[in-house]
Amino acid sequence: MYCSDLGEQWHAVRIEPTIAHLDAASAGRASRATIDTLTAHLWREAERGSYVAVREQKEVFARDRRALASLIGHTPDELSYRDSARACLRALLNSWNLPVASTVWVATNEFGPNLDEFERRGLAVRTMPAADVYGHVDVDALENMLQFEQPDFIHVCQIGSGGGVVQPVPEIVEVAHYAGVPVVVDMAQAVGHVPTVTGADIVYGTSRKWLTGPRGVGFIAVRADAIRTVEIESSEAFPAGGLGLGQAVAELLEIGQQRVFRELARIGQITRERLDGIGSWEVVEPIEEPSALVTLAPPPGWQPSDVRAAQRKLRELGILVTCADSWRAPLMNEQSVLRISPHLDVRRSELDALASAIRTMGY
Ligand SMILES: *Cc1c(COP(=O)(O)O)cnc(C)c1O
């Protein structure tokens, strides 16, 4: 029995997995049509020459660009492609004409490798105040702070890599814009998962996670009217991958994005309710947080190596989840957690199997 009404249809258009795949936050399972779209283009490239094949698909590329742009609240011409979200952030920081000793404000769920990029670029990083122990940005406190001081930009992970908290991005954008501060959103864990039309100035993300597109494709969109100093060259480094992503986005829009977001939020809640407290593992984020990214903190006294061992044991039992170490969200997580990220076709029996497995690994 699927947890969602959409489960059967979503499952039917994919190959049968050999494991309980609860790891969309690492990479979601691509549909057959997405894989076929990608391979069909590779065949065309070998048949006719890559540049010819790309020219022949010009209208498809344009259509795909419009669809992805609409999903993230930008215009098609603002969008450009890279091979990963990380590469998008690098391209942004390299091309953005920021003053020396610039300042960026981030949320507590900031992705560790992003902090490394800021440091590499010599940016001073400051953490925005949190409204609760979960790390949601306190928008009122932020509004107050912005009256006295303005960073060069705010960078926020709409959802981070180490926890399922959804940041209030539209509200952050509103108060930031009132103070004249641009907002950059890392939507690597958010696109295809929660609503991503937020009014932000610059957004970037990746194909392979909740959108279930191919690996090796990232995208960035820079609002043309907001920031004129950023000029990111468009690049079509991996056209077959771009077409695969286009197919994945088309499938999402065909089901209906709001419906998918609603169901993923419900799946997150079902998963948290099923697992919380079992064998002294505790759900980290609020049970009703509207995301399907779920983290479980281990029983007291567990070391990171114990959590890694638990993840390996689960894999041996045929259950794929991630051991999320503290580097993923270093401002927030001190300990390693199990990250469970089911997509639309998760079954009750898979959650039951996970629950009984962790019961024997706790107390
Ligand atoms: C996965 C992830 C990234 C990096 O995405 P890549 O495409 O692997 O570069 C960035 N930010 C967050 C929050 C992520 O989860």
Side-chain angles (χ1 to χ4, degrees), residues 16-354:
E16 195 58 39
T18 58
I19 33 105
H21 190 294
L22 306 177
D23 206 20
S26 294
R29 298 202 303 121
S31 71
R32 291 173 194 278
T34 296
I35 296 167
D36 287 346
T37 300
L38 186 149
T39 50
H41 190 74
L42 295 178
W43 291 121
R44 280 193 300 268
E45 288 189 317
E47 211 171 56
R48 289 161 238 183
S50 180
Y51 289 85
V52 176
V54 166
R55 264 200 306 280
E56 283 175 0
Q57 298 298 307
K58 219 173 114 197
E59 262 142 52
V60 180
F61 282 113
R63 187 198 63 197
D64 289 352
R65 190 177 268 274
R66 283 195 298 275
L68 178 58
S70 78
L71 184 64
I72 59 176
H74 281 254
T75 62
D77 55 311
E78 291 170 345
L79 195 55
S80 82
Y81 296 88
R82 286 287 181 285
D83 56 8
S84 66
R86 181 105 187 244
C88 290
L89 179 60
R90 280 211 181 126
L92 172 66
L93 295 176
N94 288 337
S95 60
W96 196 346
N97 194 10
L98 287 165
V100 272
S102 287
T103 303
V104 54
W105 290 2
V106 301
T108 50
N109 67 336
E110 187 56 71
F111 187 47
N114 292 350
L115 293 168
D116 297 340
E117 294 296 332
F118 297 145
E119 189 181 309
R120 221 164 60 93
R121 194 69 198 335
L123 292 166
V125 176
R126 195 158 139 199
T127 309
M128 293 184 279
D132 51 33
V133 295
Y134 306 109
H136 295 98
V137 170
D138 185 336
V139 180
D140 291 334
L142 173 64
E143 187 174 22
N144 277 329
M145 281 169 69
L146 285 167
Q147 288 176 15
F148 301 102
E149 197 184 338
Q150 295 85 37
D152 293 276
F153 66 105
I154 286 172
H155 182 278
V156 59
C157 293
Q158 192 169 359
I159 300 176
S161 168
V165 159
V166 184
Q167 293 294 0
V169 175
E171 291 79 9
I172 293 170
V173 168
E174 195 183 331
V175 298
H177 282 182
Y178 190 74
V181 173
V183 179
V184 181
V185 178
D186 172 343
M187 51 173 64
Q189 288 296 356
V191 67
H193 184 184
V194 296
T196 40
V197 177
T198 61
D201 303 273
I202 300 175
V203 305
Y204 64 93
T206 189
S207 151
R208 74 173 187 280
K209 295 176 179 173
W210 299 91
L211 284 175
T212 72
R215 287 185 75 164
V217 187
F219 60 84
I220 178 165
V222 178
R223 199 176 295 292
D225 56 0
I227 296 153
R228 296 182 189 288
T229 48
V230 182
E231 201 62 61
I232 293 181
E233 283 285 299
S234 154
S235 112
E236 304 278 7
F238 181 25
L243 290 170
L245 169 59
Q247 173 62 29
V249 170
E251 286 171 23
L252 168 71
L253 297 179
E254 201 173 299
I255 302 173
Q257 50 170 309
Q258 297 306 330
R259 212 170 148 209
V260 168
F261 302 153
R262 225 171 23 243
E263 286 304 295
L264 286 173
R266 223 167 55 79
I267 284 169
Q269 179 162 352
I270 291 169
T271 303
R272 294 186 191 103
E273 278 166 352
R274 183 70 188 83
L275 301 174
D276 192 30
I278 289 186
S280 297
W281 292 83
E282 301 280 349
V283 165
V284 179
E285 51 281 313
I287 300 286
E288 324 75 47
E289 193 70 13
S291 75
L293 198 159
V294 173
T295 48
L296 286 180
W302 280 44
Q303 300 304 307
S305 57
D306 300 325
V307 181
R308 276 196 290 279
Q311 185 268 343
R312 275 197 303 275
K313 180 77 187 40
L314 289 170
R315 205 177 57 209
E316 283 162 21
L317 295 170
I319 304 172
L320 189 66
V321 299
T322 292
C323 169
D325 292 325
S326 59
W327 61 264
R328 290 172 186 272
L331 304 177
M332 181 127 155
N333 293 358
E334 285 134 41
Q335 60 180 349
S336 298
V337 295
L338 275 186
R339 186 181 70 182
I340 297 116
S341 52
H343 215 303
L344 290 172
D345 65 341
V346 61
R347 292 178 164 100
R348 301 239 176 221
S349 57
E350 293 173 322
L351 297 181
D352 291 343
L354 176 57

